[in-house]
């Protein structure tokens, strides 16, 4: 029993010693503060001549009463020299003064990076601590922890200018950002707020009359509430110049693989932009990882060029976009061309674009008629037919550089090598499937799939299958597999179709199609 008492006594002594060490460490900023006053906040401020102009404005706008009521507050005070800047901040003075007072006591031990403090004007202060420097919005504490009877006073090195919300900032943008600004504002709807409207009487028919309050509603607020002071959000902001450059680049890109940049394409791109730039949280450490918008759109910092020096808003952040790219899998639905375009290549250029192996003859051939009466289309499927002699021990094959057709200003039809953005694609092909041999397919010398039975009409017969409907005849064909265009620039590619087995060595490819995968950003 005696041993137990000795052990218990030793443990208590250890705990007491430990507490004596930890308590001052934890509360050192309070215990060693410059001031611990029994006066109220207002009484204390009045004893400091260097704060007289601050007190004068408190009294002028009736805020001195807030500092004497039965409540605890934190006051962010500036000296008289800095109070001289009040009139130049561009806000009503009362609004600014309210921004320097918030409820509850936040001594320096309670101030943490990321803390948001609601002030008397309804706006938030944001705290950021870097080593020994405590920053509150744009101000730095120069004399903290002036503890009073009903709160604490921190002197800061400048008057604080209230941040605006993301919505208010966007609303005030000039015409250099009119595309985004006007798009957001056009989605607004003004709604009568009955909960906050005050009844002031009734009309002749007995209907209640209100001192009406109206609020702005916008579908964006349901995803990322850029107007609320109580929520956090982030916005990536592109200027008109950035937007126009993005769409111009799309038009140039389309021309490189034979597609017109239509109004529908611009609408798809613009919808992605609207849904990719809003986030329902504050984006910290931008650039360290991919992020997903409030609409579920993927944003890759290694692709999108953004100024990491964000603008702080009262309810989040805005990052300015320097260069914007629509992901390939968003704006490219398919890239498709026909094999018979071989016939438009001059003879002296054919060997550079097409490498034939054990081919005895090659050329375009008209095959089956097609008629889409409901769409008013009627034509003949034209294939590129090449024949080989399978008795020589080597299969017939054609290594085909992808080309397209373009019309010159003089009306002449010429060929052009297709270039596509780098990334991952699904490769589709179409053939005249009837009695066609099995084939091996290569993409840039890599075997994609071997021994394909393309004599099956579904899905290999021309482009009649896969992604087709009564209103859409322009299908993809049969899926060969996933291919990858390497590099970081637009580039050409080759498709090789090789005889594998069958009763005939006559190959008749019709078209190729590339469709970006989900990984193709």
């Amino acid at each position: 029993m005696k041993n137990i008492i000795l052990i218990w006594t030793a443990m208590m002594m250890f705990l007491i010693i430990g507490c004596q060490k930890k308590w001052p460490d934890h509360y050192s900023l309070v215990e060693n503060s410059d001031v611990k006053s029994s006066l109220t906040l207002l009484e204390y401020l009045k004893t400091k001549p260097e704060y007289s102009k601050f007190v004068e404005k408190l009294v002028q706008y009736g805020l001195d009463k807030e500092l004497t009521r039965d409540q605890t507050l934190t006051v962010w005070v500036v000296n008289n020299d800095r109070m001289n800047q009040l009139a130049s901040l561009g806000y009503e003075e009362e609004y600014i003064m309210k921004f320097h007072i918030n409820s509850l006591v936040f001594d320096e031990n309670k101030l943490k990076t990321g803390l948001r403090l609601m002030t008397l004007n309804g706006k938030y202060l944001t705290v950021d601590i870097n080593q020994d420097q405590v920053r509150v919005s744009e101000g730095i504490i120069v004399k903290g922890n002036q503890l009073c009877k009903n709160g604490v006073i921190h002197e800061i090195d400048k008057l604080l200018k209230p941040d605006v919300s993301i919505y208010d900032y966007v609303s005030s943008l000039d015409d250099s950002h009119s595309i985004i600004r006007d798009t957001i504002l056009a989605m607004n709807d003004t709604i009568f707020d009955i909960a906050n409207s005050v009844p002031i009487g009734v009309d002749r028919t007995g209907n209640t009359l209100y001192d009406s309050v109206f609020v702005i509603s916008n579908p964006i607020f349901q995803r990322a509430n850029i107007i609320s002071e109580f929520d956090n959000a982030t916005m990536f902001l592109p200027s008109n110049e950035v937007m126009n450059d993005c769409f111009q680049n799309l038009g140039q890109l389309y021309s490189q693989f034979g597609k017109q940049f239509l109004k529908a394409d611009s609408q798809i791109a613009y919808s992605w932009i609207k849904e990719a730039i809003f986030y329902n949280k504050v984006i910290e450490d931008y650039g360290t990882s991919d992020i997903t918008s409030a609409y579920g759109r993927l944003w890759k910092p290694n692709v999108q060029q953004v100024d990491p020096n964000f603008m702080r808003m009262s309810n989040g952040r805005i990052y300015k976009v320097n260069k914007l790219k629509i992901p390939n899998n968003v704006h490219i639905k398919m890239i498709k061309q026909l094999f018979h375009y071989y016939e438009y290549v001059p003879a002296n250029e054919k060997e550079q674009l097409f490498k034939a192996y054990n081919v005895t003859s090659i050329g375009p051939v008209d095959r089956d008629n097609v008629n889409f009466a409901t769409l008013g289309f009627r034509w003949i499927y034209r294939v590129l037919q090449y024949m080989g002699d399978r008795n020589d021990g080597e299969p017939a094959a054609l290594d085909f550089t992808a080309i397209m057709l373009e019309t010159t200003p003089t009306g002449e039809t010429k060929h052009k090598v297709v270039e596509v953005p780098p990334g991952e694609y699904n490769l589709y092909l179409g053939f005249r499937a009837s009695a066609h041999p099995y084939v091996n397919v290569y993409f840039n010398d890599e075997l994609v799939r071997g021994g394909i039975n393309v004599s099956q009409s579904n899905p290999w017969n021309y482009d009649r299958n896969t992604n087709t409907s009564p209103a859409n005849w322009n299908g993809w064909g049969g899926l060969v597999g996933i291919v990858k265009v390497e590099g970081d620039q637009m580039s050409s590619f080759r498709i090789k179709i090789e005889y594998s087995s069958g009763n005939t060595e006559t190959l008749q490819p019709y078209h190729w199609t590339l469709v970006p995968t989900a990984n193709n950003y």
Side-chain angles (χ1 to χ4, degrees):
M1 182 69 180
K2 182 177 181 180
N3 290 337
I4 293 175
I5 293 172
L6 290 173
I7 293 171
W8 176 253
T9 302
M11 289 177 64
M12 290 301 294
M13 290 296 293
F14 175 80
L15 289 172
I16 291 170
I17 293 170
C19 289
Q20 287 175 339
K21 180 180 180 182
K22 295 296 182 181
W23 186 273
D25 285 351
H26 184 69
Y27 291 96
S28 60
L29 290 175
V30 175
E31 296 299 314
N32 298 325
S33 62
D34 296 334
V35 176
K36 288 169 60 178
S37 174
S38 60
L39 300 175
T40 66
L41 292 166
L42 183 62
E43 291 169 342
Y44 176 79
L45 286 171
K46 286 182 175 180
T47 68
K48 297 294 181 181
E50 65 269 29
Y51 301 151
S52 62
K53 291 186 178 180
F54 190 89
V55 174
E56 179 185 329
K57 290 298 179 182
L58 291 178
V59 173
Q60 180 179 343
Y61 296 109
L63 298 175
D64 55 325
K65 299 179 179 63
E66 298 289 338
L67 275 60
T68 58
R69 289 177 182 165
D70 185 17
Q71 60 181 333
T72 56
L73 300 172
T74 299
V75 178
W76 310 93
V77 69
V78 297
N79 64 29
N80 292 340
D81 287 341
R82 292 179 171 90
M83 277 298 293
N84 293 330
Q85 305 300 316
L86 180 61
S88 65
L89 293 183
Y91 288 89
E92 292 182 0
E93 291 183 349
E94 181 180 358
Y95 187 72
I96 293 292
M97 295 305 298
K98 286 182 176 180
F99 193 55
H100 288 74
I101 305 171
N102 61 263
S103 299
L104 304 179
V105 177
F106 289 92
D107 59 55
E108 288 189 348
N109 288 305
K110 296 178 182 177
L111 298 177
K112 308 294 182 184
T113 294
L115 184 66
R116 300 175 73 229
L117 308 177
M118 174 70 84
T119 66
L120 296 190
N121 72 358
K123 291 288 186 178
Y124 280 96
L125 293 169
T126 303
V127 178
D128 180 65
I129 300 177
N130 185 3
Q131 297 180 350
D132 294 333
Q133 187 181 85
V134 181
R135 182 180 293 274
V136 183
S137 290
E138 290 299 322
I140 297 173
I141 295 179
V142 294
K143 185 179 180 181
N145 278 10
Q146 301 180 64
L147 297 166
C148 298
K149 180 180 178 180
N150 61 337
V152 63
I153 296 169
H154 300 292
E155 183 183 340
I156 52 180
D157 67 345
K158 65 172 65 176
L159 276 171
L160 302 177
K161 185 175 180 179
D163 295 326
V164 298
S165 70
I166 295 174
Y167 175 83
D168 288 339
Y169 181 85
V170 172
S171 299
S172 66
L173 288 169
D174 61 25
D175 286 345
S176 65
H177 292 77
S178 62
I179 298 176
I180 286 295
R181 179 198 66 198
D182 295 348
T183 298
I184 294 173
L185 297 182
M187 299 167 69
N188 283 350
D189 190 12
T190 303
I191 298 176
F192 173 56
D193 183 4
I194 190 171
N196 292 302
S197 297
V198 179
I200 57 175
V202 294
D203 63 15
R204 293 180 179 179
T205 60
N207 295 317
T208 303
L209 298 175
Y210 292 91
D211 184 2
S212 300
V213 174
F214 293 88
V215 295
I216 296 173
S217 175
N218 190 305
I220 294 173
F221 303 162
Q222 304 302 316
R223 301 288 187 132
N225 201 342
I226 60 174
I227 197 172
S228 171
E229 293 292 338
F230 300 99
D231 293 308
N232 279 323
T234 299
M235 178 183 180
F236 295 112
L237 178 63
S239 65
N240 290 1
E241 182 180 1
V242 169
M243 294 277 286
N244 291 332
D245 182 62
C246 174
F247 283 90
Q248 184 177 1
N249 289 339
L250 283 181
Q252 293 174 350
L253 183 148
Y254 280 26
S255 69
Q256 290 178 275
F257 54 77
K259 185 181 185 304
Q260 286 185 304
F261 186 55
L262 305 175
K263 182 178 180 180
D265 299 310
S266 66
Q267 291 173 337
I268 290 171
Y270 195 60
S271 293
W272 182 87
I273 293 172
K274 289 190 294 183
E275 295 180 359
I277 62 176
F278 293 108
Y279 296 76
N280 55 8
K281 61 182 179 181
V282 172
I283 303 299
E284 306 277 1
D285 300 323
Y286 177 80
T288 57
S289 61
D290 296 347
I291 49 180
T292 302
S293 77
Y295 289 84
R297 295 293 193 173
L298 182 64
W299 184 279
K300 285 183 171 289
N302 64 330
V303 176
Q304 312 296 350
Q305 296 181 21
V306 171
D307 184 351
N309 298 308
F310 59 86
M311 296 182 291
R312 191 186 64 245
M313 301 289 118
S314 63
N315 58 350
R317 296 177 176 179
I318 288 179
Y319 290 87
K320 289 187 176 181
V321 180
N322 296 326
K323 193 170 183 63
L324 188 63
K325 181 186 185 298
I326 310 300
N328 294 334
N329 53 32
V330 170
H331 71 90
I332 301 177
K333 299 306 178 185
M334 70 173 182
I335 304 172
K336 177 181 177 180
Q337 298 295 341
L338 306 181
F339 279 95
H340 78 80
Y341 295 161
Y342 168 92
E343 63 187 299
Y344 290 92
V345 179
N348 62 341
E349 297 182 37
K350 276 188 166 63
E351 290 187 4
Q352 298 175 4
L353 300 175
F354 310 104
K355 297 185 183 300
Y357 302 92
N358 300 300
V359 171
T360 58
S361 65
I362 183 171
V365 177
D366 289 337
R367 287 300 185 184
D368 302 301
N369 295 319
V370 60
N371 182 18
F372 288 92
T374 57
L375 299 177
F377 290 119
R378 179 194 297 263
W379 70 92
I380 299 174
Y381 280 119
R382 189 169 176 83
V383 300
L384 179 65
Q385 176 176 286
Y386 53 102
M387 305 175 65
D389 183 359
R390 58 190 173 91
N391 294 322
D392 63 3
E394 296 293 335
L398 182 66
D399 197 340
F400 184 101
T401 298
I403 61 172
M404 54 178 273
L405 300 182
E406 61 179 0
T407 303
T408 67
T410 60
E412 184 181 4
T413 301
K414 289 191 173 183
H415 78 282
K416 176 184 176 182
V417 173
V418 170
E419 292 185 331
V420 298
E424 189 178 85
Y425 296 85
N426 283 312
L427 171 64
Y428 293 82
L429 291 176
F431 301 81
R432 182 176 186 269
S434 178
H436 201 286
Y438 287 58
V439 298
N440 304 321
V441 176
Y442 299 78
F443 187 88
N444 286 343
D445 298 325
E446 295 288 336
L447 178 65
V448 182
R449 186 174 168 187
I452 309 174
N453 182 10
V454 297
S455 64
Q456 297 177 335
S457 61
N458 187 5
W460 302 103
N461 198 38
Y462 303 119
D463 55 0
R464 297 178 186 175
N465 298 292
T466 314
N467 197 44
T468 57
S469 68
N472 178 36
W473 54 270
N474 194 17
W476 295 346
L479 176 62
V480 179
I482 294 177
V483 299
K484 191 168 185 179
V485 178
E486 303 289 351
D488 56 6
Q489 301 292 330
M490 299 281 289
S491 62
S492 60
F493 60 90
R494 302 190 328 276
I495 297 172
K496 179 181 177 181
I497 301 177
E498 176 184 78
Y499 168 84
S500 176
S501 63
N503 295 324
T504 176
E505 204 163 342
T506 301
L507 295 96
Q508 300 178 71
Y510 172 66
H511 80 284
W512 59 264
T513 303
L514 291 180
V515 177
T517 70
N519 297 323
N520 192 331
Y521 195 84

